[in-house]
Each structure stands twice: as C-alpha cells, then as structure tokens.
C-alpha cells in the first residue's frame, strides 16, 4: 500500500479502449499495484475534429467486463448521451463519468440522468470546460436526483485563452467553490487532463493531495507511445506506481493535541487580522466615495491611468520588499481598484431627480 493512498480513490486506465489486449494488459498492470482502483477507459471519445480516433463504441464494453471478471477492478466509462448510458447499463458497468463537454449541456446531463434513474451505478461528474461552479453543481444535482448511489466530482481543469504550462488550467478556486457549495461531496483530481504532459503529472498529483482531494484520475496505458488518443499525458502502470511512491502523504487533520492547540492560536490571530483587513478596506473604500463626489462635481473622468499605474508600481515595489508574491499583490489591487471604480461610477452616474 502506498503511504499517500490511505482512504483515497484512484481511477486509472487508458484514455481510450483500443483493443482487448491493450485494455487487459493495462488493467492487469494497474490491479497488481492498486487492487482497490477503478479501471477507466473511454469507449466513445469526444474528439475536437472528425477523423481522429473516435473510440470503438459498444463492443469495447465487453472488454471492460472481461477486466472486471479477471482482475476484480471496478469498471467505469464515459456516457455522453441517453444511448451511451443505456449501453452502459446493459453491459453492467460499475460506474459512468460525465465528461467536461457534456456537463456544459443540461439537456444531455438530464438525458443521462433519466436513463440512470433508479440504477445503482456510481456516477462521476467532470467540471464543465469553462470555470462555472454553478453549472457543475447543476449537473451533479440532476444526477443526484436520479440515483441513490454516490455522485463524485472530478476536477479536470478549465479551458483557458492564456497559454500556460497546463493543458487545462486547474483554477483550484473553482473546485473549492464547488466543495463549499456541496459540503461532503467527494472530489478527485484528473491530473492527466490538467497536466496534458507527463512531466507535470507528479506536481499536480501532489497539489491535489496537499489540497485534501479524495483521490485522482490518471490516464494509464500499457504503451503510451502508441496510444490512439492523449498519448503525451499517459503513463504506464509501472510509472503510476512510481508516481504514488513519490507522493508525500498529507493528513486531513492534525490529530495530536499540541499541533491542534498551536493551529488554533494561529487561526485566532488570522481571524483578528482578517477583521482588521475588513475595517481597513471599508476605510479605503470610503475615500473612493469622497473622490467620486468630487469627480462628479468637477466632471472629471473616473479612470486615471497614471494614478492606477502609480498604485500598481508602488504596491509591487513595496510588496516585493516585504517578500509578498508580486502576482498576488497585482491581483489584489486589481480587485480593490475595480471596486473603487465601480463605487465612483455609481456616484458619478446617479440620476439627479428632475424637478419638473
Ligand atoms: C477523458 O477523460 O478521456 C476525457 C475525454 O476527458 P474530458 O471530458 O475531461 O475532456
Ligand atoms: Mn483523455
């Protein structure tokens, strides 16, 4: 047993089911190291352009059944519409996941939910392609309304226009938002679709553990070099073992009284500082109101680029000297400045009551 693994879920297997041998060899490699894992394989593949490998379809469900019979792993695949959900039910899979391109579409999610109504499948719901926690919650609610079994959230990152090191930007905050909207929901991290490339997998897997996720989805292929889809991000079952070997365990809570006591002391300090921050913010925003009144009276434009540049440069300089991350300072002051502009806009554009 890998130390980081206690009480966690692992969903591992190839991006796509390609052949009976590829599916079985990969599953056996996984089962040898992680007998408690779920085995995943895409049977219908949502591809960006036609002509790429679009999956084997229904016949591959039999290969998954063979995996279940031979290895004892639980089997799960993606269902993106009523037809696919029916086929999964008929084949007797243990679970289905709703893909990112399906979660965005409430019609499709409802269609899948209606087919699964009353069944005992475990359903895992990926986040939608864009960072919308509410849409993600809506999909989970539709499924929860239909099945009595557990619904698990999968965080697979979000499409981003910026070029980043990730294939899909994690935007951890969106996942935190879902976890706070749906207390108690288990969430796993699909490190493969976030990373998009093998070298990033380890750090994303560790981050998920640091952030107290309930497990991981990892695309695993007996021979990633020849994979028919997502070959850059897949690893072998052996590499999957190495990845877990290298993870630093994290515990959900500190359980010795001394650490708990110390944590409480520091948390109290933080609570007091947060109160002070709120009062300071309120004081700062009250000056935005005064400035708004003056600008209204003198008909001065609200946004002053030189002033904004001065604030950003100064805060960056002073923040760096204090050892605070410049990106954080920048985002914080963008938020504060946005609110200041909004307040001034409200004041400047307030309609005076016309006396006729
Ligand atoms: C997948 O898991 O292979 C897949 C297609 O994922 P996503 O829906 O996250 O793009
Ligand atoms: Mn994939």
């Amino acid at each position: 047993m890998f130390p980081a693994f206690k009480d966690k879920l692992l969903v591992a297997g190839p991006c796509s089911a390609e052949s009976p041998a590829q599916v079985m060899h990969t599953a056996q490699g996984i089962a040898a190291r992680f007998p408690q894992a779920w085995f995943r394989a895409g049977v219908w593949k949502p591809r960006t352009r036609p002509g790429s490998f679009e999956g084997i379809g229904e016949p591959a469900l039999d290969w998954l059944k063979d995996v279940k019979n031979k290895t004892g792993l639980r089997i799960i695949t993606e269902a993106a519409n009523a037809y696919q959900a029916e086929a999964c039910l008929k084949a007797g899979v243990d679970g289905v996941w709703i893909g990112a391109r399906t979660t965005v579409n409430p019609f499709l999610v409802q269609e899948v939910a209606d087919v699964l109504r009353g069944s005992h499948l475990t359903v895992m719901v990926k986040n939608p392609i864009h960072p919308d926690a509410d849409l993600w919650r809506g999909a989970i609610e539709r499924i929860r309304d239909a099945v009595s079994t557990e619904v698990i959230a999968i965080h697979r990152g979000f499409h981003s226009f910026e070029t980043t090191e990730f294939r899909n930007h994690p935007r951890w905050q969106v996942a935190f938002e879902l976890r706070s909207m749906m207390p108690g929901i288990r969430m796993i991290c699909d490190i493969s679709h976030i990373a998009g490339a093998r070298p990033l997998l380890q750090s994303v897997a560790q981050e998920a553990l640091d952030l107290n996720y309930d497990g991981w989805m990892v695309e695993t292929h007996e021979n990633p070099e020849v994979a028919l889809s997502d070959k850059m991000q897949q690893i072998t079952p052996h590499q999957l073992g190495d990845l877990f070997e290298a993870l630093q365990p994290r515990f959900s809570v500190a359980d010795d009284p001394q650490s708990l006591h110390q944590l409480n002391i520091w948390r109290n300090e933080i609570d007091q500082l947060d109160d002070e921050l709120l009062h300071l913010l309120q004081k700062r925003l009250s000056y935005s109101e005064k400035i708004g009144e003056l600008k209204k009276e003198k008909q001065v434009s609200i946004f002053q680029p030189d002033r904004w540049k001065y604030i950003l440069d100064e805060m960056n300089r002073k923040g760096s000297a204090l050892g605070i991350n410049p990106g954080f300072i920048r985002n914080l002051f963008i938020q504060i400045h946005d609110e200041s502009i909004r307040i001034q806009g409200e004041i400047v554009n307030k309609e005076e009551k016309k006396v006729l």
Side-chain angles (χ1 to χ4, degrees), residues 84-145:
Q84 294 173 6
E86 292 276 7
C88 288
L89 267 185
K90 224 180 325 138
V93 297
D94 300 296
V96 294
W97 81 79
I98 309 282
R101 293 161 194 76
T102 310
T103 305
V104 289
N105 185 336
F107 289 131
L108 285 175
V109 176
Q110 193 58 53
E111 190 174 304
V112 172
D114 289 341
V115 171
L116 299 181
R117 192 169 298 284
S119 76
H120 295 288
L121 265 65
T122 297
V123 185
M124 304 193 188
V125 181
K126 290 204 179 196
N127 64 258
I129 298 215
H130 59 290
D132 182 344
D134 228 13
L135 193 58
W136 193 2
R137 166 168 67 173
I140 293 169
E141 285 169 342
R142 287 174 198 280
I143 303 288
R144 271 191 177 167
D145 180 62

Side-chain angles (χ1 to χ4, degrees), residues 279-289 307 311 333 336-337 340:
H279 282 100
L280 280 175
L281 274 175
Q282 192 256 345
K283 197 165 164 189
R284 190 191 192 284
L285 292 173
S286 72
Y287 283 99
S288 304
E289 286 178 26
R307 169 73 184 148
I311 293 178
F333 278 91
I336 292 175
H337 185 251
S340 171

Side-chain angles (χ1 to χ4, degrees), residues 14-16 40 45 126 167 190 192-193 219 229-230 233-234:
C15 178
S16 309
R40 64 149 280 158
K45 296 306 299 176
K126 290 204 179 196
R167 175 176 176 191
D190 173 351
S192 308
H193 290 89
E219 284 189 342
S229 57
D230 285 351
Q233 67 195 31
Q234 303 205 60

Side-chain angles (χ1 to χ4, degrees), residues 52 70 86 128 146 212 226 229 233 240 283 287 295:
S52 333
K70 284 227 173 73
E86 292 276 7
N212 205 12
V226 298
S229 57
Q233 67 195 31
L240 183 67
K283 197 165 164 189
Y287 283 99
K295 284 181 178 167

Side-chain angles (χ1 to χ4, degrees), residues 228-290:
L228 297 179
S229 57
D230 285 351
K231 67 190 221 181
M232 305 304 287
Q233 67 195 31
Q234 303 205 60
I235 52 176
T236 63
H238 184 82
Q239 290 168 322
L240 183 67
D242 290 348
L243 187 145
F244 276 88
E245 198 75 69
L247 283 178
Q248 298 295 316
R250 302 278 186 255
F251 305 100
S252 327
V253 279
D255 51 7
D256 63 297
Q258 211 185 338
S259 309
L260 274 178
H261 180 66
Q262 184 60 67
L263 272 178
N264 277 336
I265 292 176
W266 287 334
R267 284 179 175 154
N268 279 335
E269 295 278 343
I270 284 185
D271 288 348
Q272 283 178 31
L273 288 169
D274 283 348
D275 278 347
E276 283 176 38
L277 273 177
L278 275 184
H279 282 100
L280 280 175
L281 274 175
Q282 192 256 345
K283 197 165 164 189
R284 190 191 192 284
L285 292 173
S286 72
Y287 283 99
S288 304
E289 286 178 26
K290 290 187 210 296

